[in-house]
Amino acid sequence: MGAILVLFLYTMMLMNLNKEAEPAKSALMKIAAVIGGGCFLITIVAVTRTWGSSNPVLMKNPDLGLVKNLGKTLFNEYLLPFEISSILLLSAMVGAVLLATKDKQPKAV
Amino acid sequence: MLGVPLNHYILLSAIIFSIGVIGVLIRRNAIVIFMSVELMLNAVNLLLTAFSVYRGDAAGQVFVFFIMALAAAEVAIGLAIIVMVYRNTNSIDINVLNRLKW
């Protein structure tokens, strides 16, 4: 989480953004977007409000959040997604390095 | 100790998710759009953790691990793309990318 934010900061420092001239979209688009988002929010609020009082989220088993138990679940039942996500991170790293390096030699025309 | 009702978690996660959606649709700065996507992912993380405690199942929190790893990979690639776009067009305004039409 913090690493992702640090990544954002590095990229922003890399680009020399001086004056942000951010021309506004047309007011109609903004109003439409706010109305659309507001409708979505109102829908979800209406759905949850009609459920009455719901059960409180109580931790019945206090060992649930322990790293030991999460690790046991991760390495026993979810071993395949774990290994595949490691390949995913490797490919993302290779792709990011490939995309972001400048071409030293001039492009062949 | 009184627990927070589940509806409150759902409502909070829905509000955060809709703020992320509005941010993606309205803003023109590519980095702000990425931050809104991260906001949506984190809203889902919050809801998954709440349901994991509610059901007493550790699978929800394990899934949050995978979502966070996926978000990190996506941010790395996306920021690399933004850097390339900036290098070519000297702007991170997404309306500049309209030029790809021709």
Side-chain angles (χ1 to χ4, degrees), chain A:
Chain A
M1 198 45 55
I4 295 177
L5 272 178
V6 169
L7 199 58
F8 271 122
L9 280 176
Y10 277 149
T11 310
M12 280 200 284
M13 285 192 283
L14 186 67
M15 298 188 292
N16 198 9
L17 306 169
N18 288 329
K19 195 174 94 142
E20 278 288 286
E22 191 173 316
K25 275 186 173 152
S26 66
L28 189 61
M29 289 267 279
K30 276 195 175 179
I31 291 174
V34 170
I35 288 178
C39 285
F40 173 66
L41 178 64
I42 288 177
T43 306
I44 294 201
V45 167
V47 162
T48 57
R49 285 289 185 223
T50 55
W51 285 354
S53 63
S54 66
N55 301 326
V57 175
L58 291 170
M59 190 170 262
K60 299 179 184 65
N61 179 16
D63 293 336
L64 188 62
L66 289 184
V67 179
K68 180 170 108 164
N69 294 333
L70 286 183
K72 276 188 186 173
T73 312
L74 179 67
F75 287 118
N76 283 334
E77 295 160 16
Y78 297 99
L79 187 61
L80 181 63
F82 177 72
E83 300 295 338
I84 292 182
S85 72
S86 80
I87 297 180
L88 174 82
L89 285 173
L90 175 70
S91 68
M93 195 161 50
V94 168
V97 167
L98 192 67
L99 283 176
T101 50
K102 273 187 190 168
D103 295 327
K104 286 291 167 61
Q105 61 273 13
K107 286 196 191 5
V109 174

Side-chain angles (χ1 to χ4, degrees), chain B residues 82-93 96-97 99:
Chain B
I82 286 181
V83 164
M84 275 189 69
V85 167
Y86 180 77
R87 221 178 261 151
N88 285 335
T89 62
N90 210 27
S91 159
I92 53 175
D93 184 21
V96 166
L97 298 177
R99 285 186 213 152

